[in-house]
Amino acid sequence: MKSIVVLISGNGSNLQAVIDACASGFIAGRVSAVISNKTAVYGLQRAAEAGIANHALSHKNFASRDAYDKELMTLIDGYQPDLVVLAGFMRILTAGFVSHYSGKLLNIHPSLLPKYQGLNTHQRAIDAGDSEHGCSVHFVTEQLDGGPVILQAKVPVFPGDDAKTVAARVHEQEHQLYPLVIRWFCQNRLQQRGDKAWLDNNLLSEQGYANDEDES
């Protein structure tokens, strides 16, 4: 069973999807701890209700980003994780943090990367007149939202949609996509080699696994 530490900043809906997938046996792993950089968020309650160790480590108590990330690494490493999962963790990580967890640090981003790195992705897709949008799971590198993509899911954008409507459509896909990629990692099928992602010893494309194929 792989040890998974999940970092959050808010509601934790993707966290819940991962907890449920571990509980059902879909993921051959367990969430060892949940850590938030914000106090009193619902994601911490989700962890507590599942009997998972949980911590609020506020970045506001640290003088620098480096100081915070060093303390965060110490806390994470106490759980000896095989995988660190960013699930709505709204912090830009330092190079030292990313390097420390290289190859075992995943993020989910609400766009079809490399499009719309950063924030406000749903509104940006609407403003651009895109007919499709989506989400991407990727390995984390020092480049913000620029690590190798593992898997993407697409959703339609219809005339008259607002950002809230599109976000709900994307979230539904996120809750399926993230547990699947974590499952692959825990099955030792997924690796990061340099700046590339590999699945079953096959190099993945810029858009990740061709998700119109079998995803089991």
Side-chain angles (χ1 to χ4, degrees), residues 38-119:
K38 296 183 178 180
T39 60
V41 294
Y42 185 55
L44 292 174
Q45 184 178 329
R46 292 181 190 271
E49 290 175 353
I52 297 168
N54 57 94
H55 307 269
L57 184 68
S58 176
H59 57 278
K60 295 179 180 178
N61 298 331
F62 294 83
S64 69
R65 193 174 294 276
D66 280 331
Y68 178 79
D69 279 9
K70 286 178 182 177
E71 184 65 24
L72 181 58
M73 284 189 286
T74 298
L75 182 56
I76 293 170
D77 288 349
Y79 292 95
Q80 298 181 308
D82 299 290
L83 179 66
V84 178
V85 171
L86 307 181
F89 188 64
M90 303 302 289
R91 294 276 299 167
I92 296 175
L93 297 165
T94 59
F97 185 100
V98 172
S99 176
H100 185 68
Y101 298 108
S102 179
K104 57 179 185 179
L105 185 60
L106 295 178
N107 184 46
I108 191 161
H109 182 73
S111 80
L112 297 173
L113 292 172
K115 292 182 74 172
Y116 309 130
Q117 297 169 335
L119 301 175

Side-chain angles (χ1 to χ4, degrees), residues 13-14 17 108 135 153-155 165-179:
S13 63
N14 275 309
I108 191 161
C135 52
K154 297 177 181 178
V155 302
T165 302
V166 174
R169 211 171 283 143
V170 171
H171 286 157
E172 185 176 339
Q173 293 301 312
E174 289 179 355
H175 299 160
Q176 298 179 52
L177 215 64
Y178 222 176

